[in-house]
């Protein structure tokens, strides 16, 4: 009859989880290794490696399990013993419980990588078997089980008492901050305390929740360790928590060099941007000049340079960020990149149009412009839209793409003093001398107090239309004059002057051809207020 040979597997981690027992058991066993391992209460005792005759290590494990099932409570009271034996022409150690053989550890079961002698390996197996024998003995001890149940209930009551105390303390903290706000006490201003008090109370509540979770975890592990059937779960909980703490600590330590490099990159980037900001301030003040860079484009240039430099810095620092090579980090990066690509098409169109407006210097803040149906003063030129204050004192926001795609009429850009050229139109019939119309329009312009008379008014005949002639009056307004007010004054003066000289402004539209010719007699060419040119000599 073949003998059974044992090989050992330990998954027991020390208290600090930084070192383990010798590598007899596999920490991550394969299916074959797991089938060769003897487990008691889910604890690995030994992994068998030797084959005796036709008996495989897997069959030896099954035989040991059957042997354990036939042990009685009386057998568990006596401690285990190790008996040196010789089996199959090799030394071995036989484990005996209450005079009954349990398992055999042979020389062939040892792993050369463990660097253990047969006696050292046997002592380790004996320690594990003794721990499980004690658990088996407690399983049949009614007094021990009752005491464990009482301890569990007492621990639960203590945990609930601590939880109730944490909840009461959170209520007291919340009421304390409310009293601080009501009585306006403390060195923090009352306007800030309304927000900081709520934040501090919530942070304290979050801390109490975390402490409650930790307390529950400790109580659960302690309660599971009291019962022989659940001690393996208690060990697993402890090993898991220690493994998590160790992984977090190792991750933090391993991430420190990368974080230092990221910090250095950001410090250098901030220094470069600070230097560029100083240079651009000199350009904005006019003390420095660079080709293609103007004072009015310095603000946009600073933003573009800042975005570009920070993007380069982020690209350089990306490989050194903790978790940059993880699948989750890459997935998030792809997700945000996809959102940016799909959602920024229209935004980028407006942003590029804003850059065109800024760098072409077609508009400046304070200019009087006409864009599509909007006319008014430019109050802001943003990256996405331009804001115009109309004569009704409305703020019209026009997307930059709309501004660039249409015609922009800048009424004040040509004049250095900021004054505006204003043009108004009027249509007069063919029976009124054009010289008289010119003189009346010039007179109306001279009567307006908002017109700069150092620049003479200019009258043009724009078109000879079917029933009337289209005239245009152009004047230079004084600096600071509102366009709507000046236009109103000019129109009022035009009506008054034309009424004074009995000239009808309403353009006639004939229903039928009149009997006589519509013309101006030569003697009426210079009707008042027009004056004929002086003859020389």
């Amino acid at each position: 009859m073949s003998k059974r040979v044992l090989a050992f597997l330990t998954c027991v981690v020390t208290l600090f989880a930084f070192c383990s027992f010798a590598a007899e058991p596999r920490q991550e066993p394969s299916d074959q290794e797991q089938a060769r391992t003897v487990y008691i209460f889910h604890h690995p005792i030994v992994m068998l490696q030797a084959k005796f005759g036709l008996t495989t290590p897997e069959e030896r494990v099954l035989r040991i399990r059957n042997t354990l099932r036939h042990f009685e409570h009386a057998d568990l009271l006596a401690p285990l013993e190790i008996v040196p034996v010789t089996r199959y022409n090799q030394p071995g150690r036989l484990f005996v419980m209450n005079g009954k053989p349990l398992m055999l550890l042979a020389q062939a079961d040892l792993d050369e990588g463990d660097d253990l002698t047969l006696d050292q390996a046997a002592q380790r197996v004996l320690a594990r078997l003794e721990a499980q024998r004690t658990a088996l003995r407690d399983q049949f001890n009614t007094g021990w089980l009752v005491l464990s149940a009482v301890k569990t209930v007492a621990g639960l009551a203590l945990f609930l008492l601590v939880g109730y105390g944490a909840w009461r303390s959170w209520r007291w903290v919340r009421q304390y901050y409310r009293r601080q706000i009501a009585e306006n006490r403390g060195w923090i201003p009352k306007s800030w305390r309304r927000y900081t008090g709520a934040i501090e109370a919530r942070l304290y509540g979050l801390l109490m929740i975390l402490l409650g979770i930790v307390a529950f975890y400790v109580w659960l592990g302690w309660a599971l360790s009291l019962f022989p059937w659940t001690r393996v779960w208690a060990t697993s909980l402890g090993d898991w928590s220690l493994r998590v703490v160790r992984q977090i600590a190792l991750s933090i330590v391993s991430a420190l060099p990368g974080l230092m490099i990221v910090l250095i990159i950001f410090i250098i980037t901030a220094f470069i941007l600070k230097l560029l900001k100083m240079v651009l301030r000199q350009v904005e003040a006019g003390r420095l000049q660079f080709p293609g860079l103007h004072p009015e484009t310095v603000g946009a240039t600073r933003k573009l340079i800042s975005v570009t430099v920070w993007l380069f810095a982020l690209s350089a620092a990306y490989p050194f960020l903790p978790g940059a090579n993880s699948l989750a980090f890459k997935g998030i990066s792809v997700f945000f990149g996809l959102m940016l690509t799909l959602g920024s098409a229209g935004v980028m169109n407006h942003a590029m149009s804003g850059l065109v407006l800024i760098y072409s210097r077609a508009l400046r803040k304070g200019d009087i412009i006409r864009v599509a149906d909007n006319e008014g003063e430019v109050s802001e030129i943003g990256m996405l839209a331009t804001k115009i204050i109309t004569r009704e004192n409305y703020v019209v926001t026009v997307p930059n793409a709309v501004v660039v795609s249409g015609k922009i009429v800048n009424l004040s850009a040509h004049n250095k003093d900021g004054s505006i050229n204003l043009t108004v139109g009027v249509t007069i019939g063919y029976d009124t001398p054009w010289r008289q119309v010119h003189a009346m329009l010039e007179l109306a312009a001279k009567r307006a107090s908002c017109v700069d008379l150092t620049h003479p008014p200019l009258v043009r005949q724009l078109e000879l239309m079917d029933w009337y002639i289209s005239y245009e009056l152009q004047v230079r307004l004084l600096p600071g004059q509102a366009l709507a007010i000046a236009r109103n004054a000019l129109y009022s003066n035009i009506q008054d002057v034309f009424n004074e000289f009995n000239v009808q402004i309403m353009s006639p539209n004939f229903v039928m051809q009149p009997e006589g010719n519509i013309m101006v007699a030569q003697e009426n060419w210079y009707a008042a207020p027009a004056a004929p040119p002086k003859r020389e000599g």
Side-chain angles (χ1 to χ4, degrees):
M1 183 177 178
S2 62
K3 301 276 185 172
R4 293 166 292 182
V5 182
L6 304 177
F8 299 91
L9 174 66
T10 57
C11 293
V12 181
V13 182
T14 61
L15 180 62
F16 299 100
F18 286 101
C19 60
S20 62
F21 289 124
E24 322 108 76
R26 305 296 183 260
Q27 295 183 353
E28 296 181 359
S30 62
D31 293 339
Q32 183 181 8
E33 292 172 343
Q34 196 169 11
R36 294 182 177 185
T37 304
V38 177
Y39 288 92
I40 299 178
F41 280 140
H42 304 285
H43 278 279
I45 303 300
V46 68
M47 185 178 72
L48 306 178
Q49 300 186 87
K51 178 180 179 181
F52 299 136
L54 299 178
T55 305
T56 63
E58 291 80 3
E59 292 176 346
R60 295 171 59 198
V61 171
L62 295 177
R63 290 181 180 180
I64 293 173
R65 291 178 181 174
N66 292 330
T67 302
L68 289 171
R69 291 191 185 98
H70 290 86
F71 279 105
E72 298 178 355
H73 183 231
D75 298 327
L76 300 175
L77 300 178
L80 286 160
E81 298 179 354
I82 300 178
V83 179
V85 295
T86 300
R87 294 288 189 273
Y88 308 104
N89 298 322
Q90 59 178 305
R93 299 293 182 266
L94 182 64
F95 294 88
V96 179
M97 181 185 294
N98 196 24
K100 300 178 182 179
L102 175 61
M103 68 176 66
L104 175 68
L105 178 64
Q107 185 69 36
D109 288 320
L110 300 182
D111 192 345
E112 295 180 358
D114 296 334
D115 195 19
L116 295 174
T117 64
L118 181 60
D119 290 331
Q120 291 174 341
Q123 289 298 326
R124 294 197 174 191
V125 174
L126 178 63
R128 297 173 194 142
L129 288 174
E130 277 293 324
Q132 300 309 314
R133 183 187 68 83
T134 304
L136 285 170
R137 184 191 61 191
D138 295 340
Q139 179 179 354
F140 296 98
N141 191 338
T142 305
W144 173 267
L145 296 178
V146 172
L147 180 61
S148 299
V150 172
K151 289 180 179 180
T152 302
V153 174
L156 179 60
L158 180 62
F159 166 73
L160 294 177
L161 182 63
V162 171
Y164 177 75
W167 177 71
R168 293 284 298 180
S169 67
W170 174 74
R171 290 190 59 185
W172 180 86
V173 169
R174 187 174 60 176
Q175 293 176 359
Y176 170 77
Y177 283 117
R178 287 179 178 177
R179 289 196 304 270
Q180 291 288 96
I181 296 173
E183 299 174 3
N184 195 17
R185 292 188 301 177
W187 58 273
I188 299 179
K190 185 176 181 180
S191 58
W192 293 8
R193 174 60 70 185
R194 295 179 180 177
Y195 304 102
T196 59
I199 294 174
E200 291 169 351
R202 285 176 172 81
L203 288 177
Y204 182 82
L206 179 61
L207 178 62
M208 292 297 101
I209 292 175
L210 294 177
L211 291 178
I213 294 174
V214 172
F216 177 77
Y217 185 87
V218 172
W219 170 81
L220 182 62
W222 175 74
L224 293 176
S225 66
L226 296 177
F227 300 92
W229 312 283
T230 57
R231 284 176 184 171
V232 62
W233 296 340
T235 304
S236 300
L237 284 176
D239 294 345
W240 176 83
S241 60
L242 292 175
R243 185 166 58 251
V244 169
V245 172
R246 180 178 63 179
Q247 290 177 354
I248 293 175
L250 292 177
S251 300
I252 293 175
V253 173
S254 61
L256 286 178
L259 292 176
M260 289 298 298
I261 295 176
V262 171
L263 180 62
I264 292 173
I265 291 174
F266 284 153
I267 290 176
I268 295 175
T269 303
F271 176 77
I272 293 174
L273 291 177
K274 190 72 174 178
L275 182 61
L276 289 174
K277 186 177 181 180
M278 294 173 58
V279 174
L280 292 176
R281 281 181 178 176
Q282 299 298 319
V283 175
E284 190 174 14
R287 288 186 286 267
L288 282 179
Q289 292 183 355
F290 290 98
L293 185 60
H294 304 278
E296 56 267 23
T297 62
V298 167
T301 303
R302 184 189 299 116
K303 294 178 182 178
L304 286 177
I305 292 177
S306 298
V307 172
T308 304
V309 172
W310 278 117
L311 286 177
F312 274 110
L314 184 60
S315 301
Y318 178 84
F320 301 100
L321 293 175
N325 296 323
S326 63
L327 295 178
F329 205 104
K330 294 178 181 178
I332 293 175
S333 301
V334 172
F335 175 72
F336 279 106
L338 182 61
M339 290 181 59
L340 184 63
T341 302
L342 297 178
S344 64
V347 175
M348 290 303 298
N349 184 22
H350 294 306
M352 295 306 296
S353 301
L355 293 178
V356 171
L357 287 176
I358 293 172
Y359 284 97
S360 64
R361 295 186 293 166
L363 301 177
R364 291 182 300 179
K365 184 177 180 180
D367 286 350
I368 306 299
I369 66 171
R370 185 183 297 123
V371 177
D373 298 333
N374 304 300
E375 180 183 82
E377 179 183 355
V378 178
S379 62
E380 180 183 348
I381 303 176
M383 292 297 295
L384 301 179
T386 300
K387 294 186 177 181
I388 303 173
I389 301 177
T390 63
R391 64 176 180 271
E392 298 93 347
N393 202 26
Y394 297 158
V395 178
V396 180
T397 302
V398 184
N400 287 333
V402 177
V403 177
V404 173
S405 62
K407 181 178 69 173
I408 305 173
V409 180
N410 196 326
L411 304 177
S412 58
H414 184 68
N415 302 326
K416 296 182 179 180
D417 58 356
S419 58
I420 305 172
N421 292 335
L422 175 61
T423 58
V424 295
V426 65
T427 53
I428 306 299
Y430 284 93
D431 54 345
T432 303
W434 64 268
R435 296 176 181 83
Q436 184 185 19
V437 176
H438 279 224
M440 287 189 294
L441 291 176
E442 292 173 358
L443 179 59
K446 293 176 182 179
R447 290 182 179 180
S449 60
C450 57
V451 175
D452 185 2
L453 297 179
T454 58
H455 299 274
L458 179 61
V459 180
R460 303 184 184 92
Q461 297 184 39
L462 298 181
E463 189 175 359
L464 302 178
M465 305 178 72
D466 292 339
W467 300 293
Y468 42 74
I469 303 171
S470 177
Y471 297 90
E472 179 186 75
L473 171 63
Q474 177 178 328
V475 296
R476 173 77 65 86
L477 299 181
L478 293 172
Q481 292 294 326
L483 193 63
I485 297 176
R487 186 182 287 113
N488 179 70
L490 279 178
Y491 281 141
S492 300
N493 290 341
I494 289 173
Q495 294 178 68
D496 292 341
V497 171
F498 276 64
N499 288 335
E500 290 177 11
F501 295 97
N502 298 319
V503 176
Q504 185 177 0
I505 296 178
M506 184 180 65
S507 302
N509 293 332
F510 297 119
V511 178
M512 57 185 301
Q513 181 65 27
E515 297 180 357
N517 295 329
I518 303 301
M519 57 178 294
V520 179
Q522 186 175 1
E523 60 272 13
N524 295 327
W525 281 5
Y526 295 98
K534 296 181 180 180
R535 297 181 180 180
E536 297 181 358

